[in-house]
Amino acid sequence: DVGLIMHPKLTEQYAGEPAGTIQKGLIESANGEPFPSLITHLLYTYAKSNGQNIFWAATQDDLMRIETDYYEILAHKDDVFVYPPEVLNVQQLVNTYQCTMILNDGDIYEEMLSRDRLSTPISETVGMSVDNCVFSSHSTGLSTRRPSTVFYDKAQGAFCYGHNTSFAVCPSVGGSPFDPGNAPGLNSVAGGISVDATTHVMLMRADADNKYRIYSFGNVSSTSTPPTAKFIYELPDALAPCLEKAVSIFFSLREPVLYVATPEAIYKTIFETGSVQFDENPVYEAPAGEHITLARLYLQGYFAMENYDQNASLEWNSRAVVVVTSKDDMNDKIHVVPQINYGSGQLDTANELVFDGFGKILEYTVVGLYK
């Protein structure tokens, strides 16, 4: 089932208890029964056709659209797809500009926000493969923030890019620090937007030397122009053990900070030209008797859909980390930990918010208000 957390620090227009409130059992209450199987993915979005706030919920055998006023299930997989895929295997749900991108069994689908159904995989992506299901994506249409999607195709040994429903393989251009169209022997580990809230970053591991590096891409101003190689940051060997047992790997949006969450703790690495600094002292440690199962940067739901500053009304938007901890794989808690000393990657554990009373937390999404 689905629960809802509301709090003044996290919820726009919230006027409830100062300590926040938690609602549970929302799907069963609205639909007469809970989900028939376990949730694998959640993602907030909205329908521009009617201004409705919704979220996607994927299970092993279904893909559903759910409205956020009463939590009624609006559509199941047979209604979501015009032509249902032979195999339903939702691997990623991603926000891109004006679209929800769905990776299903290796195929890329995109649903325009002005429509309510998915048709067929994007024709330009047929033959492409998304390595390790890793994307770097944002959902802003500004000319300084295109393309909206970058991923690595290991079979072709090249990075690919897309904006809305237009996709292409990066051409080989030679030069340094790397050639996006000729980059064989890499493995995708994590992707995101970082440095200045506009730069695509991809954390990769090389087959040749097993080293981890961050590849960054400069911004372009045309949908027909591929992303340009910007920098490579080689990560210290001391970080490798953390990466190899990580449960979550993600980037800070506005500064060049990489966070790596292991079951025991969260570590930071600051990457800048000529200087990559891994801090062996964790910025967050799991409470005694608990372990971390999931961690991500906190983004307001509507801001995550359209990355304009006017959509970031809450102080903690992109300035806090959401951490899920578990005790004996049950009795899970959600912690929201604000950043402190912006740019340092440090977390202010003294002022974290903690929400408990859950069973096992499989996934979360931050819903928003369509304007």
Side-chain angles (χ1 to χ4, degrees):
D1 214 314
V2 169
L4 174 66
I5 294 171
M6 294 178 287
H7 188 276
K9 289 284 189 182
L10 309 174
T11 310
E12 191 176 14
Q13 301 181 12
Y14 176 72
E17 295 295 326
T21 59
I22 299 175
Q23 299 176 8
K24 300 178 185 177
L26 298 175
I27 299 301
E28 183 172 14
S29 296
N31 302 277
E33 58 184 5
F35 295 126
S37 56
L38 299 180
I39 288 293
T40 58
H41 298 82
L42 294 172
L43 182 73
Y44 164 75
T45 184
Y46 54 78
K48 282 198 168 182
S49 56
N50 58 11
Q52 192 171 35
N53 296 287
I54 62 175
F55 65 91
W56 294 92
T59 68
Q60 289 186 338
D61 49 18
D62 206 352
L63 178 61
M64 294 160 278
R65 289 162 52 93
I66 300 163
E67 52 86 14
T68 64
D69 288 330
Y70 304 101
Y71 297 89
E72 177 188 357
I73 299 175
L74 302 175
H76 291 274
K77 63 179 180 180
D78 291 338
D79 300 312
V80 166
F81 290 95
V82 177
Y83 308 104
E86 292 185 7
V87 176
L88 183 71
N89 175 27
V90 176
Q91 298 164 298
Q92 277 283 25
L93 298 173
V94 181
N95 288 323
T96 68
Y97 179 58
Q98 298 294 310
C99 296
T100 299
M101 185 164 63
I102 297 172
L103 183 66
N104 180 75
D105 202 40
D107 294 325
I108 297 176
Y109 294 78
E110 284 202 336
E111 184 220 39
M112 300 293 289
L113 300 182
S114 57
R115 303 174 185 172
D116 294 330
R117 302 187 73 188
L118 295 167
S119 184
T120 58
I122 299 172
S123 59
E124 294 168 340
T125 67
V126 174
M128 293 181 180
S129 60
V130 182
D131 184 50
N132 203 27
C133 304
V134 170
F135 292 96
S136 166
S137 66
H138 59 64
S139 51
T140 303
L142 296 177
S143 61
T144 56
R145 301 185 185 185
R146 295 176 178 171
S148 59
T149 302
V150 171
F151 62 90
Y152 179 70
D153 186 326
K154 188 173 178 65
Q156 299 190 61
F159 289 91
C160 303
Y161 68 104
H163 180 73
N164 285 39
T165 56
S166 297
F167 281 78
V169 179
C170 291
S172 179
V173 295
S176 62
F178 65 95
D179 183 349
N182 184 22
L186 300 178
N187 302 275
S188 301
V189 180
I193 304 296
S194 188
V195 181
D196 52 7
T198 67
T199 299
H200 285 272
V201 284
M202 293 284 291
L203 174 59
M204 313 295 292
R205 181 181 59 80
D207 288 332
D209 58 12
N210 249 2
K211 288 187 177 293
Y212 293 89
R213 298 175 177 87
I214 296 172
Y215 289 66
S216 70
F217 299 86
N219 300 309
V220 296
S221 58
S222 171
T223 57
S224 61
T225 304
T228 55
K230 194 172 182 181
F231 297 110
I232 291 181
Y233 307 91
E234 184 168 320
L235 301 184
D237 291 341
L239 179 57
C242 296
L243 289 167
E244 288 162 7
K245 65 175 183 178
V247 295
S248 294
I249 302 169
F250 59 100
F251 294 88
S252 187
L253 181 70
R254 303 181 187 277
E255 296 90 17
V257 179
L258 170 69
Y259 289 106
V260 179
T262 70
E264 298 81 24
I266 300 177
Y267 299 86
K268 68 168 185 180
T269 298
I270 298 176
F271 55 96
E272 297 177 308
T273 305
S275 175
V276 178
Q277 301 177 4
F278 165 55
D279 189 348
E280 296 186 8
N281 298 310
V283 296
Y284 183 86
E285 295 183 85
E290 301 177 29
H291 60 276
I292 298 169
T293 62
L294 178 64
R296 293 192 196 121
L297 194 69
Y298 168 73
L299 298 176
Q300 283 181 248
Y302 190 58
F303 177 84
M305 285 302 310
E306 294 194 3
N307 302 149
Y308 301 106
D309 289 339
Q310 62 265 31
N311 296 334
S313 61
L314 298 175
E315 177 188 358
W316 284 11
N317 176 69
S318 75
R319 294 297 190 186
V321 171
V322 180
V323 186
V324 177
T325 63
S326 182
K327 183 177 182 181
D328 301 324
D329 289 323
M330 284 295 288
N331 303 308
D332 294 5
K333 300 176 183 177
I334 284 187
H335 310 248
V336 187
V337 193
Q339 292 177 334
I340 192 172
N341 300 328
Y342 297 153
S344 70
Q346 290 298 118
L347 299 181
D348 184 9
T349 56
N351 288 301
E352 72 173 334
L353 302 175
V354 183
F355 305 92
D356 60 9
F358 301 98
K360 184 169 181 62
I361 298 173
L362 301 174
E363 177 63 296
Y364 80 89
T365 190
V366 181
V367 299
L369 295 174
Y370 175 68
K371 301 177 182 179

